[in-house]
Amino acid sequence: MISVADLLVDNRIPGNYYATDAYVRSDLEMGLLENRRGDRLLALPETLIQAIYSGLEKETGQASRLVLRNCGRWWGKNFYIRFREELTEYYGTSLADMPMIEFLQCLQSCWITYGWGKIELEQTYHQRGFLIIKTWNSPFARLAPRGDRPVCHLEAGVLGAFFSQLTGKDLSCVQTTCESLGADCNRFILGLTRRVEPIEAMVESHLDHDTILQKICD
């Protein structure tokens, strides 16, 4: 039988590290938003995100997709480093030794607390070498200029870099459905870069998510 003492770590019971009321702290006199480690946080207004999209589109045209994806990869790499450090310090264990369910709960809580919406990982195709990632209420989808293709290039870059750091493999991420186009959620396919690259052309050809999966898994 498990005793209360078995649940204690350093004489405390670890809770949800990313609980919003505990993770985000403010100092009104100093005008600061910080996380529970004291790292600076920024709250970005929607108009600024829209201006970034608009400015990139005006200055770089179609290359704005690549710029956003590269920015996302840089962001995702640093996001992973912070995520790993925070959880390792708080729970006293490395990410590699953390139970999968606990890792997923932390990632989902983190996503919500950062204001990025909700995230879910689907492992149906992991035996084929692909991970399906779903997000809901994404600010990247809601605020991007409307078009006829998925728009969450920044988020795709973040996810690709984050899981590359986590697994130690060169992974890429391509979005196949988008809330901006009326989809029920944003879907991303994550896998080895050389296997994911053909998906870009399929998305450009307006193939749907299920058809793309069928083609890459045959």
Side-chain angles (χ1 to χ4, degrees):
M1 180 176 180
I2 298 176
S3 68
V4 173
D6 294 328
L7 301 176
L8 296 176
V9 176
D10 295 330
N11 296 319
R12 63 182 176 83
I13 300 178
N16 178 3
Y17 182 81
Y18 290 103
T20 304
D21 57 349
Y23 187 77
V24 180
R25 301 176 180 181
S26 62
D27 186 330
L28 297 181
E29 290 188 8
M30 298 296 293
L32 294 176
L33 278 178
E34 297 177 330
N35 65 15
R36 59 197 301 171
R37 290 203 315 172
D39 298 322
R40 183 76 177 268
L41 299 175
L42 294 176
L44 299 179
E46 292 184 351
T47 50
L48 175 58
I49 298 176
Q50 289 172 323
I52 291 172
Y53 277 127
S54 178
L56 281 174
E57 186 71 25
K58 182 178 180 180
E59 296 297 329
T60 65
Q62 289 191 349
S64 62
R65 303 178 191 177
L66 180 60
V67 173
L68 287 168
R69 186 176 300 241
N70 287 336
C71 287
R73 291 196 68 87
W74 186 89
W75 190 0
K77 180 180 178 180
N78 287 275
F79 167 51
Y80 169 80
I81 292 172
R82 173 182 286 184
F83 185 81
R84 182 196 64 202
E85 290 176 347
E86 288 178 334
L87 295 189
T88 299
E89 179 181 311
Y90 185 71
Y91 292 106
T93 185
S94 66
L95 289 187
D97 295 328
M98 182 176 288
M100 177 58 70
I101 188 170
E102 190 171 24
F103 167 79
L104 291 176
Q105 288 173 343
C106 288
L107 181 61
Q108 290 170 334
S109 295
C110 178
W111 214 262
I112 291 171
T113 296
Y114 279 12
W116 295 348
K118 293 177 61 178
I119 188 170
E120 179 181 294
L121 274 59
E122 179 187 323
Q123 302 184 53
T124 306
Y125 297 91
H126 79 280
Q127 294 290 351
R128 301 293 186 92
F130 298 104
L131 178 67
I132 311 302
I133 303 173
K134 301 177 183 178
T135 67
W136 290 262
N137 301 319
S138 167
F140 308 111
R142 190 167 69 84
L143 300 174
R146 292 295 180 264
D148 60 353
R149 291 172 180 79
V151 296
C152 302
H153 310 294
L154 185 70
E155 197 169 11
V158 169
L159 292 168
F162 179 88
F163 284 98
S164 290
Q165 293 291 310
L166 179 66
T167 62
K169 300 179 184 290
D170 181 20
L171 304 178
S172 291
C173 187
V174 176
Q175 185 180 13
T176 56
T177 70
C178 189
E179 289 174 316
S180 71
L181 299 176
D184 59 328
C185 68
N186 306 292
R187 291 178 178 84
F188 302 84
I189 299 178
L190 179 83
L192 293 173
T193 297
R194 61 179 175 79
R195 298 193 64 194
V196 168
E197 284 177 347
I199 300 176
E200 294 276 7
M202 298 181 196
V203 174
E204 289 292 319
S205 299
H206 301 287
L207 295 184
D208 62 71
H209 177 77
D210 291 336
T211 301
I212 291 174
L213 280 173
Q214 184 178 359
K215 284 182 173 293
I216 63 177
C217 291
D218 280 346

